[in-house]
Structures are given as structure tokens and as C-alpha cells.
Amino acid sequence: MDLIKKVSCSFLIIWTGLSSADNHLITPFEQGNGNQTAEYQQVIDFYQQLAIRFNNISIETVGMTDIGLPLHKVTLKPENTYNENETDSDHLTLLINNGIHPGEPDGIDATMMLFRDFADGSLKAPKNTVLVTIPVYNVGGALNRNTSTRTNQNGPESYGFRGNARNYDLNRDFIKADTLNTRAFMTIFHTVDPDVFVDNHVSNGADYQYTLTHLMTQHNKLGGEIGDYLKQTFQPKLEKNLAVNGWPMTPYVNVFNRPPDEGFSQFFDSPRYSTGYTNLFNTLGMMLETHMLKPYKQRVRGTYAFLKAVVEQVDQDSINIKKLRQQAFNRFQIGQDYPLKWQLVDDEFTMIDFLGYESQIIKSEVTGLKRLKYNREKPFKKKIPYQDIYEPTLTVTIPKAYVIPQGWHDVIDLLELNRIEMRRLEKDTLLTVESYKIYDYSTNEDVYEGHYFHDTVQLKKSVQQVQFRAGDYYIPSHQKGLRYLLETLEPEAMDSFFRWNFFDSILSQKEGFSPYVWEDKAAKLLSDNPDLKLQFEDKKRSDEDFAKNAYLQLKWLHQHSEHRETAYRQYPVYRLN
């Protein structure tokens, strides 16, 4: 039997609480035919009504978004479990993010119903967990409503747009933080300090039987005991619980325009993505990816079932999860190696049961060439290889501290927003530091989310004495935000500030030379420096392009003279080891 037909049998088991909700607390999704999603203001109005009706629900605004409206944070606290000595920190905290891509609104509707059902008693509310949700993260995108931009998606009838008010994809913005939305998110995230994070999405990609797929934080990158717990305990238990209740689930099907029959690998969530960012603070994260081609009603109900299962599971294991997370903050120490880059281990895989559809390559009626087609009349269940093991390819030794000159205020602002502890030097100070020169780099030719991203970085490292000024920033490594520091300030890291163009002003020279003036000085330089002359002649013999270009030769000599600019390619973040 097709999985869609099987799942429909489980709706009455999973879907509880609707009869007890009065007309004022029925969501637009429930009022319609199952193919409508709430508009932005309807979502906010709904949560405001919940906060009025129930003492354990609150709603507040935090910061501003690019559309000129604030971000909202809704909190549901366990009722009757607090005593006068307890605080939020005594409970596990779960943060649910919705509408980062408003054309994928499944989580918006499901979370509205979940909070209501916990509040009115239709569902047994968690005892050990504080639930927090951002009802609609991409407010501008949610207000930019349309019926056509989700080409691959089966409903709802109308929905928001992926880009925000400045046309940024917010799920690529968690390091560069170009948007007010992201900065407001960071304020919420660090205020809530979630132990567990869920980001609700809808997939693109292959066709298969599942309604639900998950994209867990990459467990090797999360690392240590909490990474093992995520892979070996949390994920299989969640998959089993959902399957028992009629919602079988598989890892996110990470393929494009090919059938998944031959297997696939886990998507690697670097820090630009939401779960990659939350990972830097040792938060156990997961994305839900419902399948784009399933009916909208089915996707929303599946999202509801997933969130309900996650809440139940973390509530039962809250003490252990909080303990593992606290241990993770002590995992990396000064002087140890920290992984900056990762690669998939090709020869390690697990055979997993997969519920798919048979596919074939046929002639396209559009192009006359070959195309892929799935046959939903031929579902299958078979074992396929799944790869989710990554290993480090580059590490860096954790320094005692970083020092950043005060002029780099855009970087300092983001460090402060992410609660990084730092102090300002009280007086001019000479320090012995490890210094980086940008020896070489390459840049993507196409613009990507408002930037020309630096794909590769090569460094030349040295130990120097550097004079710092009063007011420059001393940033100790021994702190909660260590991983964020390393991933942003080490230029070779996958999503470092350098790669995202925060330091591009060091990549161009500010002074120059006139060849007819420099010619005579260059001749004297070679005459006075026999060793330099040998290097110069060697380079001409080994580099044909260099030998044919007079200006390149004069530029090379200029760079090897007293006239070179010390600021050129000098990375302005220094390490104290």
C-alpha cells in the first residue's frame, strides 16, 4: 500500500484537541479546507488571544525586521511546576523557528495548534520544558504573499515569499547578519539560550513516500557526547516513535534531479544555516523538511505530529540533554586543536530502509531529450546506503585570546550581539602575537546573498610584536562563545568573517608607484641586495607570464622593498597563544 494511504489512517489518532477549542481559537488552517495557511497578522492575533486566555503563555516583541515590523517571541511555560526557587534555567528550553522561508508555512500552522492544545489541556503539557517559538521569522517574506513562486510545491493556495524585505535568504545569513531579522533572532536566541532548536521547512528534491524528513545537526560537528547522543539515541528514538504513530521518517533526501535509489549523504549544515549557527553554542538542532509534493493538510498534520513527538522526547530526557550540553561547553580547551573544515568519509555508510517510488528515464515532451520520471503506482521499500560521517580536514590550535583593533566595529558589533565576552585595553600596549597575512585567496565570480564569497584562503603565519592602542579589544577564548569565536575569526573557517568580506579593505593597496620613477629606484634596490636579485632572476626563469610583464616585475620588487604597505593583506585579528 502507498504510504500516503497508510498515513491517512493515522490522522484520527494523531489529531486531538480540535473539538475542545472554541471558535476564537480555531486557526485559519482548520477553518478552511486544509489548503490554507494563516496570514501574518492572523498568526500574531492568534497568539495574542492565547496569551489573554492562558496565564502560562506570553507574547512579546524583540527587535525589528527589515520590513519595519518587530519580531515576536511566544513562550509557553510548564504550569504548576515552578516553586519560588526555580527559574527558567531549571527547565530544558526548546526554541521552534517558523517561516524563515514563508513559502514553506507548514510549521507556522502546526505550531499555532500545538501551543493552543498544550495550553487548553487537549494535549498533556510538558512538565520540564519551556517552549518558545518565533511565530513568523521572515515577516517581510510572509507579507509578500503570492500563489506561484513555489513551483514544485503542492499547496497551500497562497503563501509568502522566500526572500525577506531586502530579498535576502535568511537561512544563509546567520554569520554575516546582513538583515535586521537575523540580529533580532540572535537577541532572542541568546536570551532564550535553547538546549534544543527546531527549524521548520519544506523540501525540494526527489519524490518518495515520506511526508517527513529530518536534517539533524551534523553529529560529528556537534561533537563529543552530545553528538553521539544525537546520532545514537535521540534520532533513532524519534524515528521509531513517529513510525509507530503512522509517520515514518527518513533523513533529508540530499539529491538533485536523480533518484535516491543509489543512496545519499547527510547535508552538511555549516554556520551560515540556522542549525549550523545554533551548533556553535552546543544546541541540539534539527530541521524538519516536509515533502513538497504531499497535500498541504497532510504536511501540516505531519509537522504537528513531529513537534509533539520532539516535545515529549526532550521533556522525558530533559535532565540528560541539559547535562550533555553543559559538558559540551567544556569540551574544547586552550591549546587543543579545533576543526575548521570537514569532508564526507566516502567509504563509511549505513544501510537504511527507504520508502521510495520506482523511477525511469524517458524522452521529454518539452526538450526531446532525456528526463527523470517517478511512478507513484510502483512504491518500493529497500535498503540503500546513507552516509553521515564527516571528518576534519583542517584544524587550528585554540589560542588564549584574540585581539582586534577597535576600528573593526562591524565585527565587534556582531561579537557583542552574540554575547561574546571581551574587554578594552586600558592603555597602549605592546603584545607578542601570532599574525596572519593573506597569502592567497579566490573569490566566487557570482554574487551570493549580497556578497562575493571567498572560496579559498591561504595564510602566511608569523610571530610579531604589535603595538595596540587603548580601547582595542581583548577577547579571551575561555568562554561560552568559544566556537563562535573560532568559526568567525579564523579566516580559513568555512563561514568566517573573512570569507564573507568583512575584511576586504585589506585586500587592496592604498598607495602605488609610477613605473618611470620606480625603475631607477628598483635598479638600485637590486644592486644593493644581491640575495633579492637572485630571487628576482629565479622568479623570471620559473614564471613565464612574470618574465613577459614589466609591470608585474616592478610590482614584485616594490613589494620586497621598504615601500611595501604593511596593511596590505595583513589580517587585523591577532592571536595570543
Side-chain angles (χ1 to χ4, degrees):
M1 183 187 295
D2 191 302
L3 182 62
I4 294 177
K5 297 176 182 177
K6 291 182 181 178
V7 168
S8 65
C9 298
S10 69
F11 282 172
L12 292 178
I13 299 174
I14 296 297
W15 205 242
T16 61
L18 298 187
S19 60
S20 66
D22 63 38
N23 291 333
H24 297 292
L25 296 177
I26 297 293
T27 68
F29 168 79
E30 295 165 294
Q31 292 173 12
N33 62 8
N35 200 31
Q36 289 82 34
T37 181
E39 296 184 11
Y40 170 74
Q41 194 57 51
Q42 291 176 314
V43 177
I44 303 306
D45 290 345
F46 180 86
Y47 281 108
Q48 289 174 338
Q49 287 299 313
L50 283 185
I52 292 170
R53 286 283 305 275
F54 301 104
N55 292 331
N56 60 333
I57 288 187
S58 62
I59 181 170
E60 59 185 298
T61 59
V62 180
M64 191 59 63
T65 69
D66 285 345
I67 196 67
L69 294 171
L71 210 57
H72 285 81
K73 175 177 75 117
V74 180
T75 304
L76 187 153
K77 292 186 177 181
E79 243 181 338
N80 303 320
T81 61
Y82 283 81
N83 61 46
E84 60 183 7
N85 297 317
E86 284 185 309
T87 66
D88 286 357
S89 62
D90 296 307
H91 294 73
L92 179 139
T93 302
L94 168 61
L95 174 61
I96 301 170
N97 190 41
N98 290 314
I100 193 169
H101 297 148
E104 307 169 15
D106 308 21
I108 294 174
D109 293 312
T111 306
M112 292 167 70
M113 293 182 287
L114 185 75
F115 268 58
R116 178 202 62 204
D117 291 350
F118 279 139
D120 71 12
S122 300
L123 288 178
K124 185 178 179 181
K127 293 183 177 180
N128 307 306
T129 303
V130 176
L131 289 182
V132 182
T133 187
I134 298 174
V136 182
Y137 177 33
N138 184 352
V139 180
L143 292 171
N144 185 8
R145 207 166 172 95
N146 73 96
T147 61
S148 59
T149 53
R150 297 290 294 184
T151 306
N152 297 330
Q153 194 166 290
N154 181 10
E157 291 175 359
S158 65
Y159 39 74
F161 181 63
R162 187 180 187 92
N164 88 325
R166 295 176 60 202
N167 207 34
Y168 278 98
D169 184 335
L170 295 180
N171 204 29
R172 309 292 187 272
D173 197 43
F174 284 94
I175 291 298
K176 57 190 179 69
D178 287 329
T179 67
L180 293 178
N181 300 63
T182 300
R183 291 168 183 255
F185 177 94
M186 289 172 171
T187 299
I188 291 175
F189 179 81
H190 290 291
T191 301
V192 171
D193 191 21
D195 302 289
V196 181
F197 173 75
V198 176
D199 203 353
N200 288 310
H201 289 252
V202 180
S203 73
N204 286 301
D207 198 3
Y208 40 79
Q209 297 180 51
Y210 300 96
T211 299
L212 306 179
T213 71
H214 62 73
L215 200 165
M216 301 283 178
T217 298
Q218 207 289 312
H219 61 92
N220 300 111
K221 180 164 61 71
L222 184 59
E225 293 184 14
I226 193 170
D228 293 340
Y229 168 81
L230 177 63
K231 176 179 170 59
Q232 299 170 12
T233 302
F234 188 89
Q235 177 180 324
K237 183 178 179 181
L238 181 64
E239 290 175 341
K240 180 179 179 181
N241 289 345
L242 283 163
V244 167
N245 286 288
W247 295 98
M249 193 177 198
T250 195
Y252 174 71
V253 184
N254 186 25
V255 301
F256 177 75
N257 205 34
R258 72 166 179 84
D261 307 30
E262 297 178 1
F264 54 91
S265 63
Q266 181 181 21
F267 180 84
F268 188 86
D269 52 341
S270 71
R272 73 187 64 174
Y273 303 105
S274 64
T275 56
Y277 167 81
T278 59
N279 166 69
L280 301 184
F281 301 93
N282 299 306
T283 297
L284 191 158
M286 65 197 84
M287 285 187 188
L288 174 66
E289 295 272 0
T290 58
H291 188 230
M292 59 190 178
L293 297 177
K294 300 299 185 289
Y296 187 62
K297 179 185 290 188
Q298 186 171 319
R299 301 202 318 261
V300 173
R301 291 180 170 178
T303 303
Y304 181 98
F306 171 82
L307 293 174
K308 175 176 175 288
V310 169
V311 172
E312 291 173 348
Q313 190 163 314
V314 300
D315 198 55
Q316 292 168 4
D317 207 11
S318 61
I319 294 175
N320 186 39
I321 292 173
K322 286 184 70 67
K323 181 186 73 173
L324 288 170
R325 183 169 180 242
Q326 290 307 310
Q327 289 174 349
F329 284 112
N330 297 318
R331 179 173 168 227
F332 291 107
Q333 302 294 326
I334 294 170
Q336 292 182 344
D337 287 340
Y338 179 84
L340 292 179
K341 289 184 180 180
W342 300 82
Q343 71 177 8
L344 184 69
V345 180
D346 288 332
D347 57 356
E348 291 195 39
F349 57 87
T350 303
M351 298 301 293
I352 63 171
D353 290 324
F354 186 77
L355 301 171
Y357 296 120
E358 289 188 13
S359 62
Q360 58 185 139
I361 302 298
I362 63 174
K363 183 178 179 180
S364 167
E365 295 180 3
V366 177
T367 67
L369 304 174
K370 294 180 179 180
R371 58 151 293 188
L372 171 66
K373 185 175 179 62
Y374 291 93
N375 187 346
R376 291 191 175 182
E377 299 301 317
K378 294 185 177 181
F380 68 74
K381 176 181 179 180
K382 66 180 179 181
K383 289 190 177 295
I384 63 171
Y386 174 63
Q387 297 171 291
D388 66 345
I389 306 297
Y390 283 79
E391 63 182 4
T393 58
L394 177 68
T395 62
V396 65
T397 302
I398 300 173
K400 177 182 177 182
Y402 291 96
V403 184
I404 305 180
Q406 58 200 287
W408 299 96
H409 48 81
D410 51 349
V411 169
I412 298 300
D413 288 347
L414 283 180
L415 297 179
E416 289 178 337
L417 191 58
N418 282 278
R419 309 283 175 95
I420 296 299
E421 300 170 15
M422 45 191 164
R423 63 177 175 85
R424 306 190 77 168
L425 298 180
E426 295 180 359
K427 60 182 180 179
D428 293 356
T429 306
L430 184 67
L431 294 174
T432 301
V433 294
E434 184 178 9
S435 169
Y436 293 158
K437 278 277 192 179
I438 306 300
Y439 178 73
D440 199 8
Y441 67 97
S442 64
T443 303
N444 196 317
E445 293 182 357
D446 297 321
V447 67
Y448 177 68
E449 291 303 316
H451 291 252
Y452 288 92
F453 188 76
H454 297 314
D455 290 314
T456 62
V457 186
Q458 295 182 41
L459 303 177
K460 185 176 181 180
K461 304 177 183 181
S462 62
V463 175
Q464 300 177 5
Q465 284 195 321
V466 176
Q467 182 71 46
F468 294 96
R469 296 177 57 83
D472 290 346
Y473 289 84
Y474 177 93
I475 308 171
S477 295
H478 185 65
Q479 61 173 293
K480 193 172 181 179
L482 168 63
R483 298 184 72 168
Y484 179 84
L485 272 180
L486 293 163
E487 296 277 1
T488 57
L489 297 186
E490 290 293 335
E492 295 172 296
M494 297 180 70
D495 272 318
S496 68
F497 286 148
F498 176 81
R499 289 180 183 269
W500 282 112
N501 312 123
F502 280 74
F503 298 105
D504 276 9
S505 59
I506 69 170
L507 299 178
S508 59
Q509 298 182 75
K510 301 304 180 278
E511 303 282 6
F513 62 85
S514 294
Y516 79 95
V517 176
W518 176 236
E519 279 278 0
D520 295 333
K521 293 183 177 182
K524 186 174 187 307
L525 176 69
L526 291 173
S527 176
D528 293 344
N529 296 273
D531 290 341
L532 180 63
K533 184 173 183 178
L534 286 174
Q535 295 177 43
F536 180 60
E537 296 299 334
D538 285 344
K539 185 165 181 61
K540 286 197 290 184
R541 282 192 294 270
S542 62
D543 188 334
E544 185 177 348
D545 292 337
F546 182 78
K548 294 178 179 179
N549 191 317
Y551 184 80
L552 283 181
Q553 293 179 40
L554 292 174
K555 183 180 179 181
W556 187 91
L557 290 170
H558 194 263
Q559 283 297 311
H560 287 78
S561 75
E562 64 179 6
H563 302 287
R564 68 183 179 274
E565 296 179 20
T566 57
Y568 178 51
R569 297 200 179 189
Q570 174 61 55
Y571 184 61
V573 178
Y574 300 87
R575 293 164 46 98
L576 277 170
N577 294 320

